[in-house]
Amino acid sequence: MPGTPSHKKLAARIGQTENLVGLDNSFSVKQLSLYRGISLVKAFRVARTVISVDPNRHRTGFDNYFFCVAFIIECQMLEALTLHTQHILMAGQADRYAIILAIIAREKKKYFSFVQHGVNNVYEGLYLLRVDEVYYLFEISIPLFGVFVEDAETRKYIPIPSVRPNFKPNPRYTNAIAFASCILAGDAELLEVVVNNYTAGDVLIYPHPTEKDLTVYEKYKSRPNVYITMERVSNIRYLISCGSTLGLEYDLIGVPPVFVNTENFHSEFFTQINSSSSTTSHHFAPGS
């Protein structure tokens, strides 16, 4: 798994902290040392093969040499990194590292575990991961793994223990609601609606943990009731989002999440799968 703070917490929940490998794409000596033994000649050769034979390359991102070469270089790096391991755990949702590690696990006959770390939003044409077992956060997610897990109905499923978030109240905020970004196209539009229409109290903007450039939120700094913060506070009325997992965390402490489907996708938030689910979220579709 990549070693971000959220992945570290997740690894602790499944008892795999000691096996965490940090991949932060930095230029530090530690990170660059992972790329020893990389063959650029091999990378270009394989890249040309992928571009030439993949009829769906425009859907996978292999339609330019730079992405393809980066993919192959990282494939070589990850193959060397996992050379002496027999069990690979990957927290991802059909992203580049998940795809590469699934390929390596299949070709090198390694045991591969997929660890859910976020929400399953269902899009068409995702790469099918060959996995042996799936660690899942939410039971209502299980039917949706079939979109990117090969032979999903035959996989072994292991629940990840639920952990009640340690969110604290902050008296600075009054009658507050929060908006959690999940970096979807509709987030900016939805946030504009929330900020312009909620005047009964404060609005907390929660950027996604992976967002590095927060300039998109700067135009709201001048508003006296709007706060851009990473502090997750418990004294809010609602958590509004297009599909952030943070909404389910707030549900665990009794704060209702409001999920607004602006992208016309399916997810466990918008698909009635398991009637026994304890999630009390409010579901809104476009136009509601």
Side-chain angles (χ1 to χ4, degrees):
M1 306 178 182
T4 64
S6 61
H7 288 123
K8 290 178 181 178
K9 293 179 182 178
L10 188 58
R13 289 169 70 175
I14 62 175
Q16 295 291 336
T17 306
E18 70 279 5
N19 297 322
L20 201 67
V21 176
L23 299 173
D24 57 17
N25 295 320
S26 70
F27 289 99
S28 65
V29 174
K30 181 179 179 180
Q31 290 298 311
L32 292 176
S33 67
L34 298 175
Y35 292 87
R36 288 179 298 182
I38 298 299
S39 168
L40 290 178
V41 174
K42 178 181 178 181
F44 275 105
R45 185 183 302 121
V46 179
R48 291 184 61 185
T49 302
V50 172
I51 291 176
S52 300
V53 303
D54 186 357
N56 297 313
R57 58 185 180 274
H58 63 287
R59 300 170 64 185
T60 61
F62 293 158
D63 55 349
N64 68 81
Y65 282 95
F66 294 105
F67 182 92
C68 193
V69 168
F71 188 98
I72 300 304
I73 289 177
E74 288 180 324
C75 186
Q76 293 181 72
M77 178 269 290
L78 290 171
E79 185 173 345
L81 192 64
T82 60
L83 181 63
H84 301 294
T85 64
Q86 291 302 314
H87 185 186
I88 300 174
L89 294 99
M90 174 66 201
Q93 185 170 307
D95 55 23
R96 186 171 70 256
Y97 286 144
I99 293 172
I100 292 174
L101 287 170
I103 292 173
I104 292 173
R106 182 182 65 243
E107 294 182 348
K108 304 299 181 181
K109 295 181 171 35
K110 300 177 184 291
Y111 197 82
F112 186 71
S113 299
F114 176 92
V115 184
Q116 182 185 13
H117 74 110
V119 170
N120 289 332
N121 297 327
V122 179
Y123 300 95
E124 297 295 330
L126 294 181
Y127 182 89
L128 290 180
L129 301 178
R130 174 64 179 86
V131 304
D132 295 287
E133 63 185 11
V134 177
Y135 285 83
Y136 66 90
L137 283 165
F138 317 110
E139 187 175 350
I140 54 177
S141 305
I142 292 177
L144 300 178
F145 282 117
V147 178
F148 53 88
V149 172
E150 184 179 296
D151 298 325
E153 67 280 359
T154 66
R155 300 303 98 194
K156 177 182 179 182
Y157 288 90
I158 304 172
I160 298 173
S162 295
V163 177
R164 184 181 175 86
N166 189 29
F167 300 154
K168 304 294 184 182
N170 188 331
R172 176 185 185 183
Y173 307 118
T174 304
N175 203 28
I177 62 174
F179 175 86
S181 172
C182 50
I183 321 182
L184 293 172
D187 279 3
E189 181 180 351
L190 177 58
L191 177 58
E192 189 77 12
V193 173
V194 171
V195 171
N196 288 335
N197 289 277
Y198 189 72
T199 58
D202 295 323
V203 177
L204 310 184
I205 299 176
Y206 289 157
H208 192 276
T210 60
E211 286 186 274
K212 304 301 182 184
D213 184 3
L214 303 183
T215 55
V216 66
Y217 306 116
E218 288 184 354
K219 63 180 179 179
Y220 301 117
K221 285 184 176 180
S222 61
R223 304 193 181 218
N225 71 322
V226 177
Y227 300 87
I228 304 168
T229 177
M230 298 300 290
E231 179 190 14
R232 306 330 191 190
V233 301
S234 59
N235 57 317
I236 61 174
R237 297 181 60 195
Y238 298 98
L239 188 287
I240 301 173
S241 173
C242 286
S244 172
T245 313
L246 189 61
L248 296 181
E249 293 188 62
Y250 268 101
D251 182 67
L252 292 174
I253 64 171
V255 175
V258 179
F259 299 113
V260 184
N261 186 353
T262 62
E263 300 295 312
N264 196 30
F265 56 72
H266 300 290
S267 79
E268 63 257 44
F269 295 159
F270 310 115
T271 306
Q272 297 298 323
I273 295 172
N274 191 333
S275 60
S276 65
S277 169
S278 62
T279 302
T280 58
S281 57
H282 301 272
H283 298 194
F284 293 98
S288 298

